[in-house]
Amino acid sequence: MLSVVVLLAFAACACDSFGRHGSFISRRQLNQKAQLGSPTGDESGVALAAQGIETVSGLKFFTLEGGMCPYAARTWICFLELDMDYETVGINGLKKPEWYEEINPKGKVPAIQNLVDGSLVYESAICDEYLCDLAQSTDPDGPPGESKVWKLMPIGPGDRAALRLMNDHVDTEVCPAHFTFLMNKDGSRDEVLKDALEKALVVLEDTLVSHGGPYLMGSEFTIADVHFLPFFLRLVVSLRYFKEYEVPSEKYPRLLQWLEICSRRDSVKAASPSDERIIELYKKFVEAEYGFGGLNKNK
Ligand SMILES: N[C@@H](CCC(=O)N[C@@H](CS)C(=O)NCC(=O)O)C(=O)O
């Protein structure tokens, strides 16, 4: 049943075009380019994907055509925040090219291919940290010894662990609670499911308070914000439309303020679909008959 929903998502994503960021290369164009350099057509999928495209960084970003995938949105935001050069390759989710299995054996987006050293990276959380690792540098004017400059990641081991724990909470608690509530068709269970979601959201509200905001890790915008943003945006829009549920501002003032502040960033604007497109896509989820709870267990 899950695959039905995934297919619906792909169907909704497949026909759209990208927003203003990232040069879009279709599968057909990519294959044409690949075939030009591969007269015998017997190269591996990775080689095929790698041919014919040049960026300074040599980084290719695999995402769904249409740019609606919230996982890929995370990595997209990181590319933009880190000001990294990259080439976008849109994958048609309904008709994934065979070679894509060699980029990501799980067949999912996002994925990154580094043409310089051959690295293949997938899973959004890992892609995002990978980009931070690549962008990380040493401040020549810093104190003697190591003086690392990180963007989007804190430096201290404790902070880094806290960030990863928060991301884990989003994936394992918040996202499943959102989808379970959204998809529930038994009205008598709505209250319980709403409470479960609110309980999961309290952790993030409390974190904003304890870290002092305005961002989840404190004064700096980090991967923790990136990780939750695409999902919280979809949560707010979908629950308002389908459940007439507003995230209560008296209970979550910091969280709602956080969404507003983050939404002003160019990177977030670029990777955020309009409310209309979110509703259009989620209509397909909500109208599908299914028997599971929690679409996004981040598997
Ligand atoms: N755990 C993965 C989830 C990624 C994911 O599920 N992406 C969806 C699109 S939004 C996908 O590619 N699904 C393809 C499939 O399941 O075959 C991550 O964090 O990157």
Side-chain angles (χ1 to χ4, degrees):
M1 218 36 110
L2 179 60
S3 58
V4 173
V5 180
V6 170
L7 281 176
L8 283 170
F10 282 154
C13 298
C15 43
D16 295 313
S17 59
F18 270 101
R20 62 191 179 81
H21 276 276
S23 52
F24 174 76
I25 301 225
S26 72
R27 183 171 61 102
R28 187 162 49 80
Q29 282 169 309
L30 182 68
N31 283 342
Q32 275 169 357
K33 284 175 181 244
Q35 276 156 19
L36 285 176
S38 170
T40 57
D42 60 357
E43 297 194 50
S44 76
V46 170
L48 282 175
Q51 285 176 3
I53 297 167
E54 287 168 26
T55 54
V56 175
S57 66
L59 293 176
K60 292 174 64 175
F61 168 43
F62 296 87
T63 181
L64 280 192
E65 289 179 355
M68 288 293 284
C69 171
Y71 298 99
R74 292 170 172 168
T75 304
W76 192 358
I77 293 171
C78 287
F79 269 118
L80 297 175
E81 285 287 338
L82 295 167
D83 204 16
M84 292 176 97
D85 180 37
Y86 64 100
E87 193 86 41
T88 302
V89 181
I91 298 296
N92 179 337
L94 281 176
K95 252 184 141 185
K96 271 181 268 175
E98 272 176 31
W99 55 257
Y100 190 63
E101 254 183 50
E102 289 181 55
I103 300 290
N104 180 354
K106 295 184 176 180
K108 299 186 179 210
V109 299
I112 296 170
Q113 183 180 27
N114 184 334
L115 299 184
V116 174
D117 65 7
S119 305
L120 290 169
V121 184
Y122 45 89
E123 285 299 316
S124 56
I126 297 171
C127 288
D128 298 353
E129 286 207 32
Y130 173 69
L131 293 181
C132 288
D133 286 348
L134 285 181
Q136 169 262 125
S137 58
T138 304
D139 179 1
D141 300 324
E146 287 262 295
S147 181
K148 297 281 184 199
V149 181
W150 287 90
K151 269 185 94 180
L152 301 183
M153 274 301 275
I155 298 178
D159 287 340
R160 290 165 90 91
L163 179 148
R164 290 174 185 131
L165 282 170
M166 215 181 317
N167 291 351
D168 183 66
H169 175 75
V170 166
D171 289 337
T172 59
E173 303 295 335
V174 182
C175 292
H178 164 219
F179 276 90
T180 310
F181 179 31
L182 176 70
M183 304 300 182
N184 175 49
K185 298 196 172 93
D186 171 2
S188 69
R189 292 188 63 230
D190 265 356
E191 199 57 26
V192 174
L193 298 176
K194 184 204 77 180
D195 287 349
L197 171 65
E198 292 199 347
K199 201 170 151 207
L201 289 177
V202 163
V203 174
L204 295 158
E205 176 74 16
D206 288 352
T207 303
L208 282 166
V209 174
S210 65
H211 286 172
Y215 302 112
L216 285 166
M217 290 300 295
S219 57
E220 299 290 326
F221 183 78
T222 67
I223 284 188
D225 306 294
V226 174
H227 202 82
F228 186 38
L229 265 169
F231 286 89
F232 193 53
L233 172 68
R234 284 156 180 78
L235 180 158
V236 168
V237 173
S238 64
L239 294 182
R240 179 181 294 144
Y241 186 85
F242 294 103
K243 293 285 182 184
E244 294 176 7
Y245 171 80
E246 270 313 317
V247 174
S249 55
E250 64 286 0
K251 238 174 161 173
Y252 305 97
R254 303 293 285 262
L255 203 48
L256 291 168
Q257 193 186 27
W258 166 83
L259 178 62
E260 209 203 298
I261 291 171
C262 294
S263 300
R264 290 188 214 136
R265 301 178 84 86
D266 286 344
S267 63
V268 176
K269 280 188 206 156
S272 300
S274 66
D275 292 7
E276 290 73 25
R277 289 186 73 206
I278 293 173
I279 291 164
E280 192 188 322
L281 175 62
Y282 278 61
K283 250 185 194 151
K284 296 179 200 286
F285 292 149
V286 170
E287 282 162 11
E289 279 306 322
Y290 63 92
F292 62 93
L295 176 62
N296 283 298
K297 292 201 168 143
N298 207 31
K299 292 270 164 59

